[in-house]
Amino acid sequence: MSSVDLLNKTAELVAVASESFSEAQITEHIQNELQAHQHLELTRIGDNLVARTQLGRANRVILAGHTDTVPANGNAQPRIEGDHLWGVGSADMKGGLAVMLKLAEQHTQPAVDVTYVFYAREEVASEHSGLGELFDQRPDLLEGDVALLGEPTDGQIEAGCQGAMRFSITLKGKRAHTARAWMGSNAIHRLAGLLTAIDAYVPRQPVLLGCHFHEALQVVRVSGGVAGNVVPDSAQIELAHRFAPDRSADQAEQHVRDLLLPYLGDDDEVELLDLSPAAYPAVEHPCITSLIERHDLGVRAKLGWTDVARFAEHGVPAVNFGPGDSALAHTPQEHLVGESIRRTYSALDDLLRIGP
Amino acid sequence: MSSVDLLNKTAELVAVASESFSEAQITEHIQNELQAHQHLELTRIGDNLVARTQLGRANRVILAGHTDTVPANGNAQPRIEGDHLWGVGSADMKGGLAVMLKLAEQHTQPAVDVTYVFYAREEVASEHSGLGELFDQRPDLLEGDVALLGEPTDGQIEAGCQGAMRFSITLKGKRAHTARAWMGSNAIHRLAGLLTAIDAYVPRQPVLLGCHFHEALQVVRVSGGVAGNVVPDSAQIELAHRFAPDRSADQAEQHVRDLLLPYLGDDDEVELLDLSPAAYPAVEHPCITSLIERHDLGVRAKLGWTDVARFAEHGVPAVNFGPGDSALAHTPQEHLVGESIRRTYSALDDLLRIGP
């Protein structure tokens, strides 16, 4: 498949606006394209579309990608210049969708069974995820040996992902007039010890199956105060923790709670606001190993959270592998280079032809 | 003057609602009462009323009180039970106004010239002050040797007052994704050092002319944060400082700035939000000395800010001296005890009859 073909296909997808929650049109577009193909079994669930081969192969590979984009920023219209395609979603991740569509059309008799998953609402809060909706309603559609997500990794393997959790921590004090401050207890002052401990925290950087992770513990919000002449009786921080996949979510939560404990009194409160589990790097799965070895792919840890964790949570080892530069995603400069999408297509084409 | 007369007079004033900014009616009420008296020269400025004797006495004493109350809280109607008057403003400070009115009516030939100042909007932000309005428009009306404010001190002398200032302090950082926290600099974490220093601050407690002051340095507000997955690049605190009157406002400001300096970087910002000067205790003025000695009054420092500082700033030594318990002010339980207002009246009556 030539770079030109692949960039053109991506441009076609970029031209269909598909901001999160407005994805009916892009899903129609993909469905119209795929339903001509007899080798694919299509299932539409809401704005999600699953296309599967049913050839009874020994392995089933899932190729998955989200259809939504962030709002355009002067880059709603695709524009090809030489080997570059400019436009919102060109990297994140309509390039990945274009690769999936081309593979789905080309491979009528792949060496592995393939499930192509086009899902909605990835760029918004986790609770809205179309992939979550699919796992809830039709988990059978998502069964497979390994999953590859087309998130932009510039054709390298980004393996596993760190988990994420956020806590709300409320410290209590006693209200008083500032003219008689010693009658009260300043809850904002009580943050001093807690913030000092968090600031001094040295995050772990474990290397797991060759992937270098880097944890984080960061206060992302702080608030407190009653009025300009009142000693405040409450102060709140929101604490974000990213943890490597050698810890379970429970272990990571306990680790943070242990760290907080010395700074908490009886009336203080710690609440877990949300939690996304980590995923261990799936680089030992034969399909992934073959992909890496045959194409000499770089392998690195995924530090941000992606839907590989959702697959891993359901027992399907998963990695990120797609065209485009993630650093450009969500920027007005978002673009895709032909060489990047060609290399990605070529590696997956090879996997589907030969198998693991 | 009997307790009953004084409580009845206070009840009459409580019955006229006079929430801040709605004081025209109470000012009319006082004006109607006083204009019958030939020995008083009345001047109305907005909702402020000044009544003066012009007898050419060696000394002029200013008796001043604010006409506004905080909003009623189920206690809009005055109610007398035995020796107690219940109702909004009974202590803060319609008891003081009642004493002023009685004195103004009784003393046609006082031993000192007297200026009675009834002023508006004390219970709201300083910029709205009716006393400030008078000082701006007719400072000549407020000239005198000493001023006594009828704020509730239960008939004791509360001398001087602490100054107050508030700062806004903004610490800067560098924004980053929490998945790559080490690329940023967390502005909220930077609060740790600053809060530790402020929490460890030991406020001075100077004793000035027998009055025990007690300073304060309190963070009254904190805020910061961008989103749950962003290392924040800005964090802000609001810092309140109360300072004793042995420091000028400039000295107190410099003291706080010196304290903050080690925790500030080049991009951080410190802004002085507002400033109310302190007032030195005026207990050495002959009028006040006589009052204290003849009636064996208790003398203590005023820790909160009051308008004595406004008089002191204009060169008029001032103290707080009024009936009622300030701890009850602004509460639904606000009330005035007859004995308290009778004692206050009696001491001032004596001062106006005999002089210093």
Side-chain angles (χ1 to χ4, degrees):
Chain A
M1 188 65 52
S2 77
S3 302
V4 175
D5 280 349
L6 289 161
L7 284 190
N8 281 339
K9 169 66 84 183
T10 308
E12 230 174 73
L13 295 173
V14 170
V16 183
S18 58
E19 215 178 296
S20 311
F21 299 107
S22 301
E23 296 153 81
Q25 204 188 336
I26 187 92
T27 314
E28 290 300 325
H29 182 99
I30 294 167
Q31 189 169 0
N32 287 341
E33 193 145 329
L34 293 183
Q35 68 196 0
H37 299 278
Q38 297 299 319
H39 67 286
L40 295 171
E41 182 188 294
L42 264 59
T43 311
R44 172 92 180 249
I45 308 277
D47 279 344
N48 311 295
L49 184 70
V50 179
R52 290 184 296 174
T53 63
Q54 298 283 32
L55 302 164
R57 301 295 194 239
N59 288 291
R60 177 174 290 278
V61 170
I62 300 169
L63 300 180
H66 62 84
T67 53
D68 60 331
T69 59
V70 294
N73 190 349
N75 59 353
Q77 290 308 314
R79 180 168 52 86
I80 295 180
E81 281 180 13
D83 197 37
H84 286 49
L85 163 65
W86 302 79
V88 63
S90 52
D92 186 11
M93 58 167 281
K94 287 180 168 170
L97 299 183
V99 168
M100 287 165 64
L101 281 172
K102 285 286 186 190
L103 291 169
E105 289 163 7
Q106 301 284 320
H107 287 274
T108 55
Q109 291 288 322
V112 292
D113 268 314
V114 190
T115 303
Y116 302 93
V117 182
F118 301 88
Y119 64 95
R121 300 177 303 275
E122 189 271 349
E123 299 287 8
V124 288
S126 171
E127 60 187 320
H128 303 300
S129 162
L131 190 61
E133 186 181 22
L134 281 172
F135 270 118
D136 281 350
Q137 295 186 22
R138 291 291 304 276
D140 59 300
L141 291 175
L142 301 175
E143 284 167 9
D145 296 292
V146 67
L148 291 103
L149 259 79
E151 294 281 351
T153 64
D154 204 17
Q156 308 300 315
I157 296 284
E158 288 192 348
C161 82
Q162 297 201 126
M165 52 179 64
R166 282 181 312 127
F167 297 87
S168 165
I169 300 151
T170 305
L171 299 189
K172 297 294 176 64
K174 189 178 158 213
R175 215 177 272 207
H177 197 290
T178 49
R180 288 169 199 79
W182 66 94
M183 309 280 284
S185 160
N186 193 316
I188 297 176
H189 291 196
R190 288 194 55 218
L191 290 176
L194 192 56
L195 290 178
T196 301
I198 294 169
D199 190 43
Y201 181 82
V202 178
R204 298 188 315 135
Q205 300 187 38
V207 177
L208 309 173
L209 299 178
C211 296
H212 179 185
F213 289 88
H214 194 147
E215 298 190 330
L217 188 70
Q218 294 282 320
V219 179
V220 291
R221 281 199 185 89
V222 64
S223 62
V226 178
N229 60 354
V230 177
V231 175
D233 58 350
S234 178
Q236 194 175 46
I237 62 168
E238 191 178 308
L239 182 63
H241 182 42
R242 303 264 173 174
F243 59 99
D246 58 341
R247 276 195 180 148
S248 71
D250 284 351
Q251 286 171 330
E253 181 181 346
Q254 195 55 52
H255 172 68
V256 175
R257 288 186 182 272
D258 289 348
L259 183 90
L260 299 175
L261 200 60
Y263 306 96
L264 301 179
D266 289 345
D267 294 336
D268 299 333
E269 290 160 16
V270 177
E271 188 192 349
L272 184 65
L273 294 177
D274 59 28
L275 163 66
S276 304
Y280 214 86
V283 292
E284 291 189 321
H285 190 278
C287 283
I288 308 300
T289 315
S290 310
L291 202 62
I292 294 168
E293 287 173 0
R294 284 190 221 147
H295 304 278
D296 194 23
L297 301 182
V299 178
R300 56 177 182 255
K302 182 74 187 175
L303 300 177
W305 195 87
T306 79
D307 277 312
V308 300
R310 223 182 273 269
F311 279 104
E313 200 183 352
H314 287 84
V316 183
V319 296
N320 299 285
F321 179 62
D325 179 353
S326 64
L328 297 172
H330 305 194
T331 73
Q333 290 74 41
E334 183 170 0
H335 64 265
L336 181 63
V337 181
E339 176 59 15
S340 173
I341 190 167
R342 197 197 54 70
R343 273 191 287 107
T344 310
Y345 177 85
S346 167
L348 289 172
D349 179 62
D350 183 64
L351 177 66
L352 266 51
R353 272 191 294 109
I354 304 173
Chain B
M1 186 69 48
S2 77
S3 300
V4 176
D5 280 349
L6 289 161
L7 284 190
N8 282 339
K9 169 66 83 184
T10 307
E12 228 174 74
L13 295 173
V14 170
V16 183
S18 58
E19 213 178 296
S20 310
F21 299 108
S22 300
E23 296 154 80
Q25 205 188 336
I26 187 91
T27 313
E28 290 300 323
H29 182 99
I30 293 167
Q31 190 170 357
N32 286 341
E33 192 146 331
L34 294 182
Q35 68 196 1
H37 299 278
Q38 297 301 318
H39 67 286
L40 296 170
E41 181 187 296
L42 264 61
T43 312
R44 173 91 180 251
I45 308 277
D47 279 345
N48 310 295
L49 184 70
V50 179
R52 291 184 295 175
T53 63
Q54 299 281 33
L55 302 166
R57 301 293 193 239
N59 287 292
R60 177 174 290 280
V61 170
I62 300 170
L63 298 180
H66 63 83
T67 52
D68 61 331
T69 60
V70 295
N73 190 347
N75 60 353
Q77 290 308 314
R79 178 168 52 87
I80 295 181
E81 281 180 12
D83 196 36
H84 285 49
L85 163 66
W86 301 79
V88 63
S90 52
D92 186 11
M93 58 167 282
K94 287 180 169 171
L97 299 184
V99 167
M100 287 165 65
L101 281 172
K102 286 285 188 190
L103 291 169
E105 288 161 8
Q106 301 285 320
H107 288 274
T108 55
Q109 290 289 322
V112 291
D113 268 313
V114 190
T115 304
Y116 302 92
V117 182
F118 302 87
Y119 63 95
R121 300 178 304 276
E122 189 271 349
E123 298 288 7
V124 287
S126 170
E127 59 187 319
H128 302 300
S129 162
L131 190 60
E133 187 181 20
L134 282 173
F135 270 118
D136 281 349
Q137 294 187 21
R138 291 290 304 277
D140 59 299
L141 292 175
L142 301 175
E143 283 167 11
D145 297 293
V146 68
L148 291 102
L149 258 80
E151 294 282 352
T153 64
D154 204 17
Q156 308 300 315
I157 296 285
E158 289 191 347
C161 81
Q162 297 199 127
M165 53 179 64
R166 283 181 309 127
F167 297 87
S168 166
I169 300 150
T170 304
L171 299 189
K172 297 295 176 63
K174 189 179 158 210
R175 214 178 271 207
H177 197 290
T178 50
R180 288 170 199 82
W182 64 94
M183 309 278 285
S185 161
N186 193 316
I188 297 176
H189 290 196
R190 288 194 55 216
L191 289 177
L194 192 56
L195 290 179
T196 301
I198 294 169
D199 190 44
Y201 181 83
V202 178
R204 297 188 315 136
Q205 300 186 38
V207 177
L208 309 173
L209 298 178
C211 296
H212 178 186
F213 289 88
H214 194 315
E215 298 191 330
L217 187 70
Q218 294 282 319
V219 179
V220 291
R221 282 199 184 89
V222 64
S223 63
V226 178
N229 60 355
V230 176
V231 174
D233 57 349
S234 177
Q236 194 175 47
I237 63 169
E238 190 178 308
L239 182 63
H241 182 43
R242 303 264 174 174
F243 59 99
D246 58 340
R247 276 196 180 147
S248 70
D250 283 351
Q251 286 170 331
E253 181 181 346
Q254 195 55 51
H255 172 69
V256 175
R257 288 186 182 272
D258 289 347
L259 185 91
L260 299 175
L261 199 60
Y263 306 96
L264 301 180
D266 288 345
D267 293 336
D268 298 333
E269 289 160 15
V270 177
E271 188 192 350
L272 184 65
L273 295 177
D274 58 29
L275 162 66
S276 304
Y280 214 85
V283 292
E284 292 189 320
H285 189 277
C287 283
I288 309 299
T289 314
S290 310
L291 202 62
I292 294 167
E293 286 172 1
R294 284 187 220 148
H295 304 278
D296 193 23
L297 301 182
V299 178
R300 56 178 182 256
K302 182 75 187 175
L303 301 176
W305 195 88
T306 79
D307 278 310
V308 300
R310 222 182 276 269
F311 279 104
E313 201 184 351
H314 288 84
V316 183
V319 295
N320 300 283
F321 179 63
D325 179 353
S326 65
L328 296 171
H330 305 194
T331 74
Q333 289 74 43
E334 183 170 0
H335 64 264
L336 181 63
V337 181
E339 175 59 13
S340 172
I341 190 168
R342 196 195 53 70
R343 273 191 286 108
T344 310
Y345 177 86
S346 167
L348 289 172
D349 178 63
D350 183 63
L351 176 65
L352 267 52
R353 271 192 293 109
I354 303 171

